[in-house]
Amino acid sequence: MAKQNLRQAIDFLYSRGLATADSYTRHVLHCVRANDFVQAKRLQSHMQLHLFQPKDSFIHNQLLHLYAKCGKLSNAQDLFDNMTHRDVYSWNALLSAYAKLGLVEDLCTVFDQMPSRDSVSYNTLIACFATTGHSGKALKILVRMQEDGFQPTQYSYVNALQACSTLLDLKLGKQIHGRVVISGCGDNTFVWNAITGVYAKCGDIHRARWFFDRMTHKNVVSWNLMIYGYVKLGHHDECIRLFNKMKLLGLKPDQVTASIVINAYFQCGHVDDARRMFSEIPRKDEICWTTMIVGYAHNGREEDALMLFGDMLRGDVRPDSYTISSVVSSCAKLASLCHGQVVHGKVIVMGVDHSMLVSSALVDMYCKCGVTLDAWSIFWIMPIRNVITWNSMIHGYAQNGQPHEALALYERMLQENIKPDSISFVGVLSACISADMVAKGQEYFNSISEHGMTPTLDHYACMVTLIGRSSSVDKAVDLIKCMPHEPDYLIWSTLLSICAKKGDIKNAELAAGHLFKLDPRNAGPYIMLSNLYAACGRWEEVGDVRSLMNKNNAKKFAAYSLVEVESEVHKFVSEDRTHPAVEKIYDELNRLISILQRIGYNPDTNIVLHNVGQEEKFKSISYHSEKLALAFALIRKPNGIAPIRIIKNIRVCDDCHVFMKFASVHIGRTIILRDSNKFHHFFGGKCSCKDHW
């Protein structure tokens, strides 16, 4: 019966007075079939109005199950409390109402009060526990069910196997699998899916595939479980092959399939394939949108992630905390303060600003945009903070040239009984590097073991930097030799950077030699060593290093800078001629260079390590990407007062660092330049890094 007709039938009932038991039964069944809670409640009210009491529990049980299905717990409880005839079906219906809302404690109370139970009663508990994060309790109820003399059903085994999958307990999963075989329940597709799922999710992908290939009636869930299993183990190519086979067999993927495969495409770096698949989904749910946004963010496509987030909001799809935190992280990577502030506004409107995940991401974003005051404001009002949040703020202070604030915050963290982790100490040691505090850094380094941890390679890299810069490179080398770990790429590249700054060729050769072996195709160490040779006029060695670089087919990272102006992010490379405003940019930069030279800026042509004339050297350093980015910002906002924010993907060179200090004096504005190693806040001719980076 259509809902319109059902409403009219109930209206007619109200016009006639008391109905017969058969009439009430017929109408309540129509309400159940139509899943119409409103008319069911009207029917119940009509029975109460005319003091109708059924001779058995059938009518009320049907209403109870409908209320439970619709999540109307209070209505179900009121009806149950006023029933004169109750049976196990009535109690199961009330159990179902509590299970529907995930009210585990109340569910257990009702279960314990039941005068009698059947297998449905136990299955309701097992299913609720398995789906609400109480997998261990679900398995205990399965055991109790058998102890109480009830044989588990297919439904029992499906939920128990899902609980094993959640716990990643393959041993117990195999035991339940054995029970399934003995019981003869294994012919059901849902049971086969659960068996396949427990092997796939627990990492035994070959056994999972064995069961999957022998399933006679596979459904979309079957395929999803196998596809997910391959993705979880990093077998992305096999996942995509299985998905293509699924399509060839004429099976239509659902949104779960789409999200899993889109993620696999991103993991393989096939961004365009992921986008194509996403565009083919007719009705995209929150998970699909989030998968795309996170995939873009993890593949260096932060601008696409932001644009897609806008599309998501315009499509009236409400993002969750995980989606928003990924978008905020994209803003952080781009140092796009404007976009970050817009997203922050959306966060407040949606009422998720107190989510720890979102708040932590906002703290990190404001720190990476160089606005530690706003980061602190969010940090301070957070109702709950975990170690990740504290770490974000400590790192933010350390990276933005506020080392004393970072160390004070760490001490406060200890006072509030927040246990630091290894990342906390990276932030603390970074602060000591910024403040040139060798003794204090050594003290914090020694305290790592006092907190029950062993210093990691990241901690040793910090100490190599601290000792190498402030004391001597030889002492840093001695520390490396005494490490309990085998030095990795980070350790040797850290040492090489220090040697390049100090002109220590002997130790630079040592570090570079290890780096050439660890990653022969990374051009960075070759360039640093050849530049060091060139600075000393050792051109023969320069040639040798360049030849070795070519022999190993080493790839050089393209240097670029990003600058945000009027909510748009613009990208520049050295001597860039592709920007639409190229003529104006070069005119402005040349004018600025001329002015800065008059107030004391002297271009450092010594950093140009090629055997060319002075004029060529001058041109080579004048048009680095960060200088072009600054010139463009000044064209678009010549009279602005807000800081100019620039990101560079490699370390800023010595000349550009000096240039920015002089520029900050002339324009009277703060320039915040974030390179691959540190944040530089230039103002009044000084930099927050104190010329150590």
Side-chain angles (χ1 to χ4, degrees):
M1 182 182 291
K3 286 195 174 185
Q4 178 68 18
N5 294 335
L6 180 58
R7 184 183 64 79
Q8 291 174 351
I10 304 296
D11 288 343
F12 181 73
L13 200 66
Y14 267 88
S15 68
R16 293 290 300 273
L18 180 65
T20 65
D22 288 342
S23 179
Y24 281 129
T25 300
R26 187 170 61 255
H27 281 88
V28 79
L29 289 174
H30 285 313
C31 290
V32 171
R33 292 190 189 104
N35 199 33
D36 194 331
F37 162 75
V38 174
Q39 299 309 320
K41 189 71 178 73
R42 290 183 67 207
L43 185 63
Q44 181 192 344
S45 298
H46 190 273
M47 289 187 287
Q48 291 172 340
L49 180 66
H50 294 282
L51 304 177
F52 172 77
Q53 285 294 338
K55 293 181 180 180
D56 57 32
S57 61
F58 180 81
I59 290 176
H60 284 158
N61 283 346
Q62 293 296 319
L63 288 172
L64 270 175
H65 271 281
L66 178 58
Y67 293 164
K69 184 179 179 181
C70 296
K72 305 297 182 181
L73 176 60
S74 60
N75 298 101
Q77 185 69 63
D78 289 342
L79 175 58
F80 180 86
D81 290 341
N82 290 293
M83 287 174 64
T84 55
H85 304 286
R86 298 188 192 119
D87 54 20
V88 70
Y89 194 89
S90 315
W91 283 92
N92 285 342
L94 188 63
L95 276 178
S96 179
Y98 282 103
K100 175 80 174 179
L101 299 176
L103 301 174
V104 173
E105 291 184 8
D106 295 317
L107 179 71
C108 292
T109 300
V110 173
F111 182 82
D112 291 338
Q113 292 174 349
M114 292 179 70
S116 63
R117 307 182 185 97
D118 60 11
S119 61
V120 175
S121 315
Y122 289 93
N123 285 341
T124 302
L125 252 71
I126 293 170
C128 181
F129 286 144
T131 56
T132 55
H134 299 83
S135 298
K137 290 183 178 180
L139 297 172
K140 288 180 180 178
I141 294 296
L142 178 69
V143 173
R144 180 176 172 183
M145 179 181 187
Q146 295 171 89
E147 290 174 347
D148 290 348
F150 293 94
Q151 180 64 34
T153 65
Q154 294 174 342
Y155 191 66
S156 315
Y157 287 128
V158 167
N159 286 293
L161 287 165
Q162 288 177 348
C164 293
S165 297
T166 302
L167 294 170
L168 299 179
D169 192 335
L170 184 57
K171 182 179 179 181
L172 191 54
K174 287 180 177 180
Q175 292 177 9
I176 295 174
H177 177 198
R179 293 293 184 92
V180 171
V181 173
I182 294 171
S183 69
C185 295
D187 293 335
N188 183 278
T189 300
F190 295 103
V191 176
W192 271 83
N193 283 343
I195 292 170
T196 304
V198 76
Y199 284 108
K201 292 177 181 177
C202 292
D204 192 345
I205 197 69
H206 299 297
R207 183 65 61 88
R209 185 62 182 262
W210 189 90
F211 283 106
F212 175 80
D213 288 339
R214 282 154 183 77
M215 287 178 67
T216 54
H217 302 289
K218 300 182 185 74
N219 57 17
V220 174
V221 174
S222 316
W223 290 85
N224 287 348
L225 286 167
M226 274 310 305
I227 290 171
Y228 171 78
Y230 281 123
V231 169
K232 186 179 179 184
L233 290 175
H235 301 169
H236 305 110
D237 291 335
E238 187 60 35
C239 157
I240 294 168
R241 277 195 291 270
L242 197 63
F243 170 67
N244 290 331
K245 184 178 180 180
M246 176 185 180
K247 290 195 297 182
L248 286 172
L249 293 173
L251 279 171
K252 187 177 181 180
D254 60 10
Q255 291 188 352
V256 175
T257 323
S259 296
I260 296 170
V261 176
I262 287 171
N263 181 45
Y265 277 132
F266 276 122
Q267 294 295 329
C268 294
H270 300 162
V271 177
D272 293 336
D273 289 329
R275 178 70 201 200
R276 186 188 67 254
M277 183 169 181
F278 177 77
S279 64
E280 292 172 355
I281 303 171
R283 296 182 63 186
K284 305 172 181 69
D285 64 3
E286 172 191 303
I287 297 173
C288 287
W289 285 96
T290 300
T291 303
M292 273 302 296
I293 289 169
V294 173
Y296 272 143
H298 288 172
N299 280 268
R301 301 273 288 269
E302 290 82 11
E303 292 180 352
D304 289 326
L306 295 180
M307 291 176 64
L308 199 63
F309 180 66
D311 293 340
M312 180 181 184
L313 295 178
R314 285 187 288 273
D316 292 328
V317 181
R318 182 181 175 84
D320 62 9
S321 297
Y322 183 62
T323 318
I324 294 170
S325 66
S326 297
V327 173
V328 173
S329 296
S330 293
C331 297
K333 289 178 183 177
L334 292 170
S336 179
L337 180 61
C338 181
H339 283 105
Q341 289 171 330
V342 170
V343 176
H344 188 184
K346 294 285 185 184
V347 164
I348 294 171
V349 170
M350 288 187 289
V352 294
D353 49 317
H354 291 304
S355 160
M356 186 184 296
L357 186 64
V358 173
S359 295
S360 296
L362 286 169
V363 169
D364 182 63
M365 183 273 294
Y366 279 115
C367 284
K368 287 181 177 174
C369 288
V371 192
T372 52
L373 183 60
D374 288 349
W376 171 256
S377 298
I378 296 169
F379 177 86
W380 182 246
I381 64 173
M382 286 178 68
I384 301 174
R385 310 180 194 100
N386 61 10
V387 68
I388 297 172
T389 318
W390 285 89
N391 288 347
S392 294
M393 199 66 235
I394 291 169
H395 275 262
Y397 276 139
Q399 291 297 312
N400 280 281
Q402 297 173 274
H404 299 291
E405 289 85 345
L407 297 178
L409 190 61
Y410 171 73
E411 296 297 338
R412 184 170 186 168
M413 173 182 169
L414 297 181
Q415 291 172 6
E416 296 196 15
N417 295 319
I418 303 294
K419 183 176 175 62
D421 60 13
S422 63
I423 297 174
S424 310
F425 283 103
V426 173
V428 168
L429 294 174
S430 296
C432 292
I433 292 169
S434 295
D436 204 19
M437 300 167 64
V438 181
K440 195 68 176 176
Q442 188 67 58
E443 181 183 323
Y444 282 123
F445 181 80
N446 294 338
S447 73
I448 294 174
S449 57
E450 296 172 9
H451 288 277
M453 291 175 282
T454 302
T456 66
L457 286 166
D458 287 334
H459 301 139
Y460 277 101
C462 289
M463 291 305 296
V464 168
T465 303
L466 183 59
I467 294 171
R469 284 183 180 174
S470 304
S471 183
S472 76
V473 179
D474 287 336
K475 288 185 179 179
V477 172
D478 290 340
L479 176 63
I480 293 173
K481 291 178 179 178
C482 295
M483 282 169 44
H485 311 283
E486 185 70 24
D488 64 354
Y489 196 92
L490 174 64
I491 295 293
W492 292 119
S493 60
T494 299
L495 180 63
L496 181 57
S497 297
I498 296 168
C499 294
K501 281 283 186 182
K502 292 204 166 189
D504 188 330
I505 292 180
K506 180 190 72 172
N507 288 312
E509 290 173 335
L510 170 68
H514 286 282
L515 293 170
F516 295 159
K517 293 176 183 177
L518 289 169
D519 188 0
R521 299 192 66 184
N522 188 330
Y526 298 93
I527 294 170
M528 291 181 72
L529 183 60
S530 67
N531 287 350
L532 191 53
Y533 283 139
C536 299
R538 294 168 59 170
W539 298 107
E540 185 176 343
E541 284 92 337
V542 170
D544 292 340
V545 174
R546 298 285 177 173
S547 296
L548 182 61
M549 179 178 171
N550 293 332
K551 178 183 176 182
N552 290 334
N553 196 25
K555 302 297 182 183
K556 181 180 178 181
F557 288 108
Y560 64 81
S561 292
L562 304 175
V563 63
E564 183 182 33
V565 179
E566 296 175 344
S567 302
E568 291 184 357
V569 177
H570 296 259
K571 183 176 181 178
F572 295 91
V573 297
S574 184
E575 301 184 50
D576 201 334
R577 292 281 178 180
T578 61
H579 197 280
V582 60
E583 298 299 332
K584 291 182 179 179
I585 292 171
Y586 274 79
D587 287 344
E588 174 64 19
L589 182 52
N590 288 328
R591 185 187 70 83
L592 184 60
I593 291 172
S594 178
I595 293 172
L596 298 187
Q597 283 181 303
R598 289 199 294 271
I599 63 173
Y601 165 62
N602 184 27
D604 186 4
T605 55
N606 291 325
I607 70 168
V608 181
L609 303 173
H610 298 287
N611 203 4
V612 295
Q614 283 298 115
E615 186 176 345
E616 287 298 316
K617 288 185 177 182
F618 178 77
K619 288 182 179 179
S620 177
I621 64 169
S622 294
Y623 306 121
H624 282 186
S625 59
E626 55 268 59
K627 291 174 182 172
L628 294 171
L630 176 63
F632 175 71
L634 293 175
I635 292 170
R636 294 289 291 270
K637 290 286 185 179
N639 300 313
I641 57 174
I644 296 171
R645 291 179 171 81
I646 300 170
I647 298 180
K648 185 160 187 178
N649 68 325
I650 64 172
R651 291 194 182 195
V652 61
C653 74
D654 290 344
D655 179 70
C656 286
H657 195 267
V658 173
F659 178 88
M660 293 296 173
K661 289 198 288 186
F662 277 98
S664 70
V665 174
H666 171 65
I667 65 177
R669 293 167 66 180
T670 299
I671 302 168
I672 301 174
L673 193 157
R674 190 177 102 199
D675 69 9
S676 61
N677 190 55
K678 192 174 285 291
F679 291 77
H680 305 268
H681 293 246
F682 299 97
F683 186 74
K686 296 181 180 179
C687 179
S688 59
C689 78
K690 300 180 178 65
D691 298 336
H692 291 296
W693 76 98

